Amino acid sequence: VGLAHVLCAELSDRDGPAAAAAGLAETERWLAAGRPGLVGLHASFTVGDPLLAQAVALARRHGTGLHLHVAEDLIDQERCLAVHGCRVVERLQRAGALDLPGTILSHCLHVDDHERALIAASGAWVAVNTESNQNNAVGAFRPDGLDPDRLLLGTDGMHGDMLRALQAAYLAGREHGGLTPAEAWRALGNNRRYLETCHPAAARPDDLVVLAYGPPTPLDEQNFLGHALFGLGARHVRTVIAGGRVVLDDGRLTTIDEDDTLRFCREQARRLWDRLRDSIPDDSGAIGQDGARP
């Protein structure tokens, strides 16, 4: 559909050494072909020392960084202290992960002041995922001690609406001492700056989003942020130009058939659900006798 992208596969030791090795090989193939990407890892407590070392070496070989979940839940810190004798960010620093160009640390909710100083002194970027944190009830993000020029806004797969992510980060900040309106807007702009700095091939100058927004009050440079926080939304997006070509015209995708694609997605969702259902023992109680979906 024309979207610029920097991709990674999330690797861990959860599915055994064969799966981890396959993920490393696929990442190697992608990066070796010159495609924009990172080496992806799940949270520290699911990644052993050998896999972490291999991931850092792979990223260093291709001049890129890591993407991983950091202290999203307290269990990440508790397990790291129990198994490795240090906190998560300290472990990453020792492994060389913080020195890699373009490393993204997602969440960073349960990091202490020393860890914040380590992140600030490194070249790593921090992705704020407000709604995902709220959905998982794991805590709230605080920007204290972190470089505001290396904060990004993310969704952690909750959705793809960055204006919604902007508004959520601001509202959470009002309650928990997180991002101010200006800091949230700055973080959203940093998403573009991250691409320009770390993955210039993905930062295309001929990308443009056009919104049809009828402001209910006068709109100017003094109150634009208020409109962005309380007025603008994905519903106002009418046209998207990606790589110099129109990929969304009057709210409809031009490169694929939306209806056929959505039908296909629903079919695959049913296939996946049926496979999951068939893999669960009958006496597990996870699914009712009628196969009702939760």
Side-chain angles (χ1 to χ4, degrees), residues 242-276:
R245 62 177 176 148
V246 176
V247 299
L248 187 79
D249 183 28
D250 196 27
R252 295 287 295 181
L253 290 167
T254 65
T255 56
I256 61 172
D257 186 308
E258 282 191 59
D259 296 330
D260 284 347
T261 300
L262 290 172
R263 268 194 296 273
F264 176 78
C265 291
R266 290 190 289 269
E267 290 170 4
Q268 301 315 306
R270 280 192 291 269
R271 285 185 61 237
L272 175 60
W273 182 260
D274 289 341
R275 288 178 60 191
L276 291 171

